Amino acid sequence: MSGPEERTQIRVIRGGPIMVPGPVDIELPDGSHVQSDRFMVAVCACGRSRNYPLCDTSHRRRRRE
């Protein structure tokens, strides 16, 4: 019998991205793929990123001075 099953840990940040251990290959609804070799990848959960599906911190609210 082998050891405990390894599970991928995904961290969801309220109001922010979904953090996924990399490297990753993300398949989009149109069948295209986005790859990242980073050790931790921030996947956009709000849909505002200009670099979608990767997060560019567009979810952050801008403060007026």
Side-chain angles (χ1 to χ4, degrees):
M1 185 175 217
S2 63
E5 190 177 303
E6 285 190 38
R7 296 177 187 243
T8 301
Q9 291 187 341
I10 297 174
R11 184 169 45 131
V12 177
I13 298 172
R14 186 181 301 266
I18 298 170
M19 303 301 293
V20 180
V24 297
D25 178 17
I26 302 169
E27 183 176 348
L28 300 176
D30 67 2
S32 64
H33 290 254
V34 174
Q35 296 179 342
S36 176
D37 292 329
R38 297 181 67 106
F39 74 95
M40 187 63 68
V41 180
V43 179
C44 177
C46 72
R48 290 182 236 166
S49 176
R50 289 187 183 131
N51 196 26
Y52 189 83
L54 304 176
C55 179
D56 68 359
T57 68
S58 292
H59 59 274
R60 295 183 184 165
R61 294 182 182 177
R62 308 261 186 233
R63 292 184 182 175
R64 291 186 180 180
E65 294 182 25

